[in-house]
Amino acid sequence: MNWVNESIFYHIYPLGFCGAPQQNGQDAPVNRIGKLSGWIPHLRELGVNALYIGPVFESSEHGYDTRDYYNIDRRLGSNEDFKRLCRELHENGIRVVLDGVFNHVGREFWAFQDVQKNGSASPYCGWFHNLNFGGGSPLGDPFWYEGWQGHYNLVKLNLRNPDVVSHLLGAVGMWIDEFGIDGLRLDAADCVDMDFFHQLRNYCKGRNPDFWLMGEIIHGDYNRWANPGALDSVTNYECRKGLYSSHNDKNYFEIAYSLNRQSGGNGGIYRSLCLYNFVDNHDVNRLASTLSNHSHLCNVYTLLYTMPGVPSLYYGSEWGVQGVRQNHSDAPLRPCLDLGSIPSPNLALLNHLKTLGKIRHALPALQYGGYDQLTVKNEQLAFLRATPEQQVYVALNLSEHPEYIEFRGRTSALVDLFTGTRFETNDGNFKLELPAYGARIFVEPHVYEQYVQQADLPAAVSQPEPARPEPRTLQIGRYRHFKGNEYEVVGCARHSETLEELVVYRALYGEQALWVRPLEMFLGDVERDGKPIPRFTWIG
């Protein structure tokens, strides 16, 4: 499904984002959901082109205790308000995915209230899972029913009942017709009857072959739910954990193992899936509260945007907003946020994500390419994303100081998209320095030129090269060769016979061999793309 592979998702929990009251009364609808219109320019700057909006339908409290599948929650507005918002999002090239909460409803769901009123005479007794009149419920009902995971305010639906299925599919049809939605995220998908997913898929794909179905799955084999007969994708909780803990533990082997298991070479068990990747959401602590060192934030998101699957940002986390679940409450994870008044915004992270958005949209290899691991160390990781037409090399360093990394390439030259720095090799083996807490994303030179033009960027977007001392004289210290390798000048010697000045320098990687070169040649230029550039550039 091309539009998903080519997407960057943004996830909001609407009741929290809009500052809605915690409890739903019988007040007239208030158009709070329209607040999202003002965020559209921000989403576009981030490169977001798909919006996953958490539960929006009439509920009693938190959105997952549904009252009515056919009406927008009055705390968020009316159906007309939401229809206008969806139209505006689509006009700005942003697709809309809604939360499909089909496993359970709230106790104020109209059919359950009929059972409370009419008892066994209610025509809706068969709508609820394991409902019987052989005893009372923990909440005082004169009948028993199954609550979701023991939560009796969440009444489990009987998805084997054709009337229940008809009611739910009718609601989805209305959402497609009225709001033009492009997909659904299926809540608690591991608890939902698989036959229902088969029926949901046939219904939605019959309406729109490009309709996307993604399930919330925390544990298990993802292929059980994501396959040609059921869902298109699932939440990638396995890598969510690895993305942060590999940095906290300074152990890239953890996330590398998951990436290789899922997508590596010809053996990856999920190679045919475009998994929904994320680092935080409305149910788990914010990334900025989970990482022990905030210097790793950029690297985590670099991985999120370059690994196989589709990346998703949780609202506010682009500024490094923090939040931790407290006293069994998710409220700290679901704050009301307003543009222009974000608490302690991390603007460097925001700008990094904007750059990553441009990079991801410009490179099909990041959207469709395979995954091949190149180098794995505790604190360094390199991998290749490639299609037959394009190669993208990603290298990361979680150490607090610069480190070298080596990997084999399929080309003689690579350019770092973050800096515009070019690296060359004569033997296919690249040996290069990574910045502290930093990463490089490499492409071939012709791809870099296309990227610069497409993204409307200067040749270097960050981390400019250190200035070379002028006039050009030999300095004791580090130099970068025009092919990318780095060396340390030890000193200047004289030839014993000719008295010619010779630079003595050593490699800063590998065997650290000593070399000599005539001073004039060392400080001279070479021609690159028709322009003279220094053979060696002083970097301090």
Side-chain angles (χ1 to χ4, degrees), residues 172-433:
V172 173
M174 189 212 81
W175 305 345
I176 294 173
D177 293 338
E178 294 292 314
F179 309 129
I181 66 169
D182 302 282
L184 289 173
R185 175 263 193 190
L186 287 312
D187 182 62
D190 58 328
C191 301
V192 175
D193 187 272
M194 195 63 73
D195 285 344
F196 174 76
F197 282 151
H198 298 327
Q199 295 175 78
L200 178 66
R201 180 185 183 90
N202 290 336
Y203 180 82
C204 293
K205 300 294 186 180
R207 300 286 298 266
N208 176 6
D210 286 332
F211 198 86
W212 188 58
L213 294 170
M214 183 270 290
E216 180 195 24
I217 297 295
I218 299 176
H219 305 291
D221 180 359
Y222 297 158
N223 286 310
R224 179 185 174 192
W225 293 275
N227 57 67
L231 307 180
D232 297 302
S233 182
V234 296
T235 51
N236 193 357
Y237 266 90
E238 176 186 349
C239 284
R240 177 254 165 185
K241 192 268 181 184
L243 283 167
Y244 74 79
S245 61
S246 61
H247 289 85
N248 283 350
D249 298 339
K250 294 188 175 182
N251 180 22
Y252 269 143
F253 283 96
E254 179 182 0
I255 186 61
Y257 172 81
S258 291
L259 292 174
N260 198 52
R261 188 181 85 92
Q262 291 187 353
S263 306
N266 294 321
I269 61 176
Y270 303 137
R271 284 184 302 117
S272 62
L273 301 179
C274 181
L275 297 175
Y276 180 85
N277 299 326
F278 65 101
V279 290
D280 47 19
N281 62 24
H282 64 299
D283 286 330
V284 299
N285 294 340
R286 295 266 182 173
L287 177 65
S289 297
T290 306
L291 282 177
S292 55
N293 184 345
H294 283 188
S295 297
H296 295 311
L297 279 167
C298 287
N299 264 15
V300 172
Y301 280 107
T302 299
L303 263 173
L304 180 71
Y305 275 61
T306 56
M307 63 189 278
V310 58
S312 178
L313 288 172
Y314 185 48
Y315 79 102
S317 288
E318 66 267 37
W319 291 283
V321 167
Q322 299 190 44
V324 176
R325 194 170 191 267
Q326 297 175 348
N327 302 319
H328 306 289
S329 172
D330 292 319
L333 312 175
R334 309 168 177 184
C336 178
L337 294 180
D338 294 298
L339 286 173
S341 58
I342 303 298
S344 304
N346 184 334
L347 298 181
L349 175 61
L350 176 67
N351 289 329
H352 183 67
L353 286 164
K354 291 178 180 179
T355 299
L356 287 175
K358 293 176 180 178
I359 289 173
R360 182 171 177 85
H361 285 311
L363 302 177
L366 294 182
Q367 301 163 359
Y368 297 99
Y371 174 86
D372 287 297
Q373 229 156 249
L374 302 176
T375 301
V376 187
K377 299 180 179 180
N378 284 91
E379 298 187 351
Q380 290 80 44
L381 171 66
F383 58 87
L384 170 66
R385 301 290 313 282
T387 64
E389 298 79 23
Q390 190 178 82
Q391 306 167 41
V392 179
Y393 296 82
V394 182
L396 304 106
N397 174 34
L398 61 75
S399 173
E400 63 272 14
H401 46 73
E403 287 287 348
Y404 283 91
I405 194 168
E406 299 184 27
F407 59 83
R408 294 289 298 175
R410 303 175 184 177
T411 180
S412 61
L414 292 172
V415 182
D416 176 17
L417 289 174
F418 289 131
T419 66
T421 306
R422 179 170 174 146
F423 298 87
E424 299 200 21
T425 178
N426 293 324
D427 59 1
N429 193 45
F430 286 92
K431 308 171 186 179
L432 48 94
E433 187 182 55

Side-chain angles (χ1 to χ4, degrees), residues 106-119 122 128:
R107 284 172 55 85
E108 293 182 321
F109 183 63
W110 58 271
F112 188 76
Q113 288 189 318
D114 190 90
V115 175
Q116 289 176 315
K117 178 180 178 181
N118 297 307
S122 171
F128 304 102

